[in-house]
């Protein structure tokens, strides 16, 4: 099992540009989560999906952020337009139906908006 | 809403010694899970150990063990025989099994542990 795969590992973009982060969950995992990690706020849950359907997006900071999961093996997190305060590490995680065993995280995307 | 507090931003320990990281949480739920995750410099989030709230027995995984005090809402992590590879940020996390936040993982701010040779 290759684990949760995120791309790119690093992204540097200019303010105002569109940024798309990608995630491939572990096959067979029904749940997918997007987290953001910053020094100030720690790890924050942005949104999560169950069977490709968004369940809770209350953590999405503003309308500039959107997430999709078109199928069970792919999800995207898009920021449009990006701002310097969006600079953070973005993690994707997945979990099987029995989520009490915790989540498996990807290696994260470090986003820098200049 | 649940909160997780890690009161020690940084700690250090000598190689081969034992260290304990503290975590407290606030919840009105009775059924939940608690976790410790490790984040080394590689940035990968790695599950270290989990505890089911309904189990009184403390979880153990090799050199890692927890002291779970449900009444006090305390969940500390003990690392025995510390190794250089244990140097990492450690996060305590809480997962309720009911209510509007069920199965959502909430993290503390983390404790940076440095193991010195």
């Amino acid at each position: 099992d290759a684990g949760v795969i995120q791309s790119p590992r690093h992204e540097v973009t200019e303010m105002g540009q569109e940024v798309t982060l990608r995630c491939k969950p572990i096959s067979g995992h029904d749940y997918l989560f997007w987290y953001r990690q910053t020094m100030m706020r720690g790890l924050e849950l942005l949104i999560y999906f169950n069977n490709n359907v968004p369940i809770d997006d209350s953590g999405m900071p503003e309308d500039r952020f959107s997430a999709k999961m078109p199928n069970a093996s792919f999800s995207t997190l898009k920021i449009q337009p990006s701002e310097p305060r969006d600079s953070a590490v973005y993690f994707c995680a997945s979990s099987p139906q029995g989520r009490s065993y915790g989540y498996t995280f990807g290696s994260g995307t470090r986003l820098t908006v200049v | 809403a649940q909160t997780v507090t890690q009161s020690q931003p940084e700690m250090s320990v000598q190689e081969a010694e034992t260290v304990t990281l503290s975590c407290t949480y606030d919840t009105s739920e009775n059924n939940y899970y608690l976790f410790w995750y490790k984040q080394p410099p590689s940035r990968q989030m790695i599950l270290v150990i989990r505890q089911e709230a309904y189990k009184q027995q403390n979880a153990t995984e090799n050199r890692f063990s927890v002291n779970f005090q449900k009444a006090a809402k305390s969940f500390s992590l003990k690392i025995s025989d510390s190794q250089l590879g244990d140097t990492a940020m450690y996060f305590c996390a809480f997962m309720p099994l009911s209510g509007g936040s069920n199965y959502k993982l909430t993290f503390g701010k983390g404790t940076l542990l440095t193991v010195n040779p």
Side-chain angles (χ1 to χ4, degrees):
Chain A
D1 192 339
V4 177
I5 300 172
Q6 289 187 248
S7 64
R9 183 158 173 82
H10 303 279
E11 176 81 32
V12 179
T13 190
E14 291 186 348
M15 182 174 63
Q17 296 296 305
E18 177 180 295
V19 176
T20 299
L21 312 181
R22 297 172 176 79
C23 175
K24 177 179 169 55
I26 292 174
S27 177
H29 282 193
D30 298 324
Y31 288 82
L32 183 139
F33 306 83
W34 282 100
Y35 277 81
R36 178 172 68 175
Q37 184 179 32
T38 61
M39 288 292 293
M40 289 296 295
R41 300 173 68 90
L43 280 152
E44 304 172 277
L45 176 64
L46 300 178
I47 184 171
Y48 80 93
F49 297 82
N50 179 22
N51 291 324
N52 315 337
V53 176
I55 302 300
D56 186 343
D57 65 354
S58 59
M60 296 286 261
E62 358 182 333
D63 292 344
R64 298 185 296 107
F65 286 69
S66 62
K68 295 182 180 180
M69 192 166 185
N71 56 62
S73 59
F74 184 66
S75 177
T76 60
L77 178 67
K78 185 177 294 186
I79 308 172
Q80 166 64 21
S82 57
E83 296 182 4
R85 60 194 168 115
D86 301 331
S87 297
V89 178
Y90 291 82
F91 284 101
C92 175
S94 70
S95 182
Q97 188 70 24
R99 284 160 288 168
S100 59
Y101 283 88
Y103 308 165
T104 301
F105 283 79
S107 55
T109 295
R110 179 176 293 282
L111 173 66
T112 303
V113 183
V114 298
Chain B
Q2 290 82 18
T3 58
V4 179
T5 302
Q6 294 179 248
S7 59
Q8 306 149 313
E10 293 188 38
M11 294 189 72
S12 62
V13 64
Q14 291 299 121
E15 198 174 5
E17 306 246 313
T18 296
V19 64
T20 299
L21 309 184
S22 301
C23 172
T24 58
Y25 56 95
D26 184 26
T27 183
S28 57
E29 301 291 334
N30 193 48
N31 297 317
Y32 50 87
Y33 287 85
L34 295 160
F35 304 85
W36 280 97
Y37 277 85
K38 166 185 176 181
Q39 186 178 39
S42 66
R43 202 168 72 202
Q44 183 74 45
M45 292 286 287
I46 302 165
L47 178 62
V48 174
I49 198 167
R50 66 185 277 272
Q51 175 76 42
E52 299 154 351
Y54 62 86
K55 286 190 177 179
Q56 292 189 352
Q57 185 175 6
N58 289 322
T60 299
E61 288 287 343
N62 301 314
R63 298 183 295 107
F64 298 87
S65 61
V66 299
N67 183 5
F68 173 49
Q69 301 289 328
K70 190 171 183 180
K73 296 180 182 176
S74 170
F75 183 61
S76 60
L77 174 69
K78 185 171 82 171
I79 306 174
S80 304
D81 185 26
S82 297
Q83 301 176 359
L84 297 179
D86 295 333
T87 292
M89 183 74 85
Y90 286 81
F91 293 95
C92 178
F94 173 94
M95 178 190 285
L97 300 184
S98 61
S101 298
N102 62 310
Y103 293 112
K104 286 168 64 172
L105 204 52
T106 299
F107 289 88
K109 291 293 180 66
T111 296
L112 178 60
L113 176 67
T114 302
V115 180
N116 299 308

